[in-house]
Amino acid sequence: MKLNTDFVTWFRSVAPYVNAFRSKTFVIAFSGKMVADKKFVELVHDFNLLASLGVRLALVHGARPQIEARLEELKLQTKFVNGILVTDPATLQYVKETVGRVHIEIEALLSMGLPNSPMANAAIRLTSGNFVTACPIGVIDGVDLMHAGKVRKINAAAIRTRLEIGEVVLISPLGYSPTGEIFNLTLENVATEVAIALDAEKLIFLTDYINTKEIPTNDPSSLLRELTIAQCKPILQELSNNDTKEAVEIKRYLPCAIKACEANVARTHLVNRHIDGAILQELFTHNGIGCMISQVPLQTLRKAKIEDIGGILQLIEPLEVEGILVRRNRELLEIEIDRFIILEHDGTIVGCAALYPFANERACELACLAVHPNYRNAGHGSTLLKHVETKIISQGTQNLFVLTTSATHWFIEHGFKEVTLSELPQEKLGLYNYQRRSKVLLKSL
Ligand SMILES: CC(C)(COP(=O)(O)OP(=O)(O)OC[C@H]1O[C@@H](n2cnc3c(N)ncnc32)[C@H](O)[C@@H]1OP(=O)(O)O)[C@@H](O)C(=O)NCCC(=O)NCCS
C-alpha cells in the first residue's frame, strides 16, 4: 500500500514537468570524455526517454580529450592560446579524423536497440548536417590560430525542420566556411550558439567537476542551485585567478550561460555528469541537482492576477480538505483576487497570503497564508508575512490579526499573541465560525 502511495505521489510530482517540456527544445552539450566513459550508455537511455516524452533534442558533442590524446600519440607539437588549440593544417587533419571517429561512435551508441533497458524498442532517429557556419578566430597575442574557429551562423531553420519531425539532431564541434574551409570549434561555443539560434527552452552542459550547494557559503568553486545572470558576474570575477579544475570549468561554462540567458534562452543548467541520472534529476525534481541560471530571479513575490486562480486553488485545496484553511471556491477567489499576494517559483505558485482590511478599526486580517509542502521550512512563510506587514504598516494599519486552527505556534514565534474573541473587529466577530473554533492571534505593528 505504502509503495503504491509513493508511486502515485512520485508520478503526480513528475507529471507537470512532462507536460511543460513537451515540444520544447533542449540543447544538451557533453564533452568527448563522456563518450569515452562507460556511463555514456546510461546517458543514451536518458536522451531516449526525453525524446519519447516529446522533448526536441539537439545534442552537441565535444572531442577535446580524444584530439589531445591523438596528437600526443603522434608526438605532434601542440600550442594553446587561452586554452584554444592552435590548429595548423597538419593538426587539422588529425582533428577531422578524431572528431569523425567520435561522431560515428556516438551515432552507433545512440542507435543501440537498448534491449532489456527501460527504453526497449524506442529507437532514436538521428540526424546530422552542415548546420554550423564558422569563421577563423584570427590572431590572438600575435599568434594566428589558423583553423581554430568560432561560430559565425547556425542554420536554425534546417535544425528545426528535423526536430519538428521527431528527429534528434547531433552536432559536432566542426564548422565550415562559405569558402569550403573547415574549422575546429569549442563544444561550448557551438552549444551556446545553437541554443540561441533555436530560441531553446534549455541549454544543458554536462560537466565533470562542478558541484552545487543549497545555501551560500564562502567557497566560490561550488555554485548555488539557482543563479541569476547578475549573481554569475561576481563569481567569475572572484575566480579569475583560481586555477582549480572546478574553477576552470566554471569559467568555461558560466560565460556561455550568461550569453545564452541574455539572448533569451530561458534556462541554462550546469549538471555534474557523474551523478546517476543527472539530467533526469535536474529536470524532473523540484530542487534539481545542478546549477540553473536564468535571466531574472526564479522567485518573485507579487500581487495575484485573475490568471493565477488555478494555481492558488491547487495550492490551497488540499489544505481546505484537511480543514486547515477555510474553503474558498473559484467564484469567491475571482471576487477577492486583489486581496492576494503570491510567491511564484519558476512559473509555479508556491505560496500565497490574503489581506482583509477593517479600516474603521485600523486593523487587518491575514488569511489563507500557505506554502506548498515541497517548499516549506525555507523561510517562504516568513517572507510572505514580512511582505504583508510592510505593506500594511505603509497604509497606517496598527493591528494584524489571524485566525488559525493549526499554526498557532508559528505565528507566536513571529511576534503574534493569542487574544480573546472580543479583540476582533466587530465586523469580523459577527462572522466568527464557532464550529471551527479557530484561535485568534494578534500582532501590533
Ligand atoms: C505555516 C506555514 C505558512 C509556514 O510556512 P514555511 O515556509 O514553512 O515557514 P518558514 O520557513 O518561514 O518557517 C519554518 C519554521 O516554522 C515551523 N513551522 C511550520 N509550520 C508550523 C506550525 N504549523 N506550527 C509551528 N511551527 C511550524 C517549522 O518547523 C520551521 O521551524 P524551524 O525553523 O525551527 O525549523 C506553512 O507551514 C503552511 O502553509 N501551513 C499550512 C497552512 C496554514 O496553517 N496556514 C496558517 C493559517 S492562515
Side-chain angles (χ1 to χ4, degrees):
M1 181 65 189
K2 166 102 176 40
L3 196 66
N4 283 348
T5 320
D6 286 351
F7 169 76
V8 172
T9 312
W10 168 81
F11 202 76
R12 284 186 180 143
S13 72
V14 167
Y17 298 104
V18 174
N19 212 14
F21 295 160
R22 191 175 303 121
S23 302
K24 296 281 168 28
T25 302
F26 293 4
V27 176
I28 306 182
F30 52 94
S31 71
K33 257 193 209 156
M34 183 100 213
V35 185
D37 200 322
K38 296 219 167 24
K39 284 196 179 147
F40 191 68
V41 176
E42 285 159 27
L43 195 65
V44 170
H45 290 200
D46 296 348
F47 290 156
N48 217 321
L49 179 63
L50 287 174
S52 71
L53 292 174
V55 174
R56 295 176 178 178
L57 281 185
L59 307 176
V60 183
H61 74 85
R64 200 176 318 208
Q66 286 90 341
I67 293 172
E68 282 172 19
R70 181 79 178 119
L71 296 177
E72 208 179 295
E73 191 182 280
L74 293 162
K75 308 231 169 337
L76 269 188
Q77 276 271 311
T78 52
K79 187 169 181 179
F80 289 85
V81 176
N82 294 348
I84 299 167
L85 175 69
V86 177
T87 314
D88 60 21
T91 308
L92 182 68
Q93 290 311 315
Y94 298 110
V95 169
K96 284 193 293 189
E97 174 200 301
T98 312
V99 171
R101 182 168 46 79
V102 172
H103 193 89
I104 291 166
E105 278 166 17
I106 298 171
E107 279 187 345
L109 287 165
L110 287 168
S111 308
M112 280 193 313
L114 305 176
N116 305 324
S117 84
M119 294 309 293
N121 302 323
I124 283 180
R125 276 192 294 139
L126 204 59
T127 189
S128 300
N130 59 340
F131 303 122
V132 182
T133 305
C135 60
I137 291 177
V139 179
I140 296 181
D141 296 336
V143 182
D144 186 351
L145 274 70
M146 289 181 265
H147 288 275
K150 58 183 179 188
V151 173
R152 179 171 158 191
K153 219 169 22 190
I154 300 289
N155 190 343
I159 301 178
R160 273 202 201 101
T161 311
R162 307 292 159 82
L163 295 176
E164 276 162 18
I165 54 167
E167 292 183 349
V168 171
V169 177
L170 179 65
I171 302 171
S172 72
L174 288 183
Y176 315 115
S177 76
T179 52
E181 277 181 277
I182 299 169
F183 289 95
N184 179 21
L185 313 172
T186 65
L187 156 77
E188 53 275 19
N189 177 218
V190 178
T192 308
E193 295 302 330
V194 169
I196 293 171
L198 293 178
D199 217 357
E201 182 72 14
K202 289 185 187 294
L203 166 61
I204 302 168
F205 286 109
L206 289 166
T207 70
D208 268 291
Y209 307 111
I210 293 179
N211 294 314
T212 54
K213 56 192 171 192
E214 298 265 6
I215 44 168
T217 63
N218 286 334
D219 172 16
S221 66
S222 69
L223 298 173
L224 271 177
R225 286 276 161 83
E226 285 170 11
L227 290 173
T228 60
I229 297 177
Q231 287 171 306
C232 289
K233 291 179 181 169
I235 295 175
L236 286 171
Q237 230 160 18
E238 198 171 340
L239 291 177
S240 55
N241 294 321
N242 188 330
D243 288 327
T244 59
K245 49 191 188 316
E246 291 87 356
V248 169
E249 239 187 14
I250 292 174
K251 287 188 279 185
R252 176 178 303 154
Y253 293 122
L254 221 46
C256 300
I258 296 173
K259 184 168 187 203
C261 288
E262 279 176 343
N264 277 339
V265 172
R267 313 260 179 271
T268 300
H269 300 251
L270 309 184
V271 180
N272 190 316
R273 71 180 178 95
H274 299 290
I275 298 169
D276 185 29
I279 292 191
L280 301 184
Q281 289 202 58
E282 175 67 0
L283 296 176
F284 294 97
T285 62
H286 274 288
N287 295 334
I289 44 107
C291 168
M292 174 158 81
I293 298 120
S294 61
Q295 194 165 25
V296 287
L298 290 173
Q299 198 138 293
T300 45
L301 205 55
R302 62 169 171 84
K303 265 188 84 165
K305 296 183 284 199
I306 210 87
E307 306 84 90
D308 298 319
I309 289 177
I312 297 176
L313 279 170
Q314 259 182 22
L315 173 68
I316 64 176
E317 266 172 357
L319 297 166
E320 292 174 357
V321 172
E322 282 184 65
I324 294 172
L325 295 180
V326 178
R327 280 193 186 273
R328 282 174 176 78
N329 59 24
R330 185 175 281 272
E331 290 71 33
L332 186 64
L333 273 179
E334 275 175 19
I335 298 166
E336 297 187 342
I337 193 70
D338 285 343
R339 304 195 181 287
F340 276 78
I341 285 142
I342 58 161
L343 182 69
E344 198 176 27
H345 183 268
D346 203 9
T348 306
I349 295 174
V350 298
C352 70
L355 274 177
Y356 294 82
F358 293 86
N360 292 342
E361 305 186 46
R362 295 181 72 194
C364 206
E365 179 187 0
L366 166 64
C368 208
L369 173 70
V371 173
H372 188 283
N374 288 346
Y375 289 82
R376 286 191 191 156
N377 299 328
H380 298 321
S382 309
T383 306
L384 275 159
L385 177 64
K386 200 178 254 167
H387 181 82
V388 159
E389 288 178 0
T390 315
K391 187 174 161 148
I392 61 176
I393 288 171
S394 69
Q395 291 166 353
T397 303
Q398 277 178 338
N399 289 327
L400 179 65
F401 69 89
V402 63
L403 270 65
T404 178
T405 52
S406 62
T408 314
H409 281 206
W410 189 86
F411 286 106
I412 289 174
E413 282 169 26
H414 287 78
F416 285 76
K417 269 197 322 229
E418 195 174 334
V419 294
T420 59
L421 281 183
S422 61
E423 297 202 41
L424 280 176
Q426 281 304 310
E427 201 184 321
K428 182 69 194 175
L429 191 56
L431 298 169
Y432 184 79
N433 181 338
Y434 285 90
Q435 264 175 349
R436 264 183 80 75
R437 297 191 53 214
S438 307
K439 301 252 164 79
V440 181
L441 294 133
L442 184 75
K443 184 169 182 179
S444 297
L445 300 166

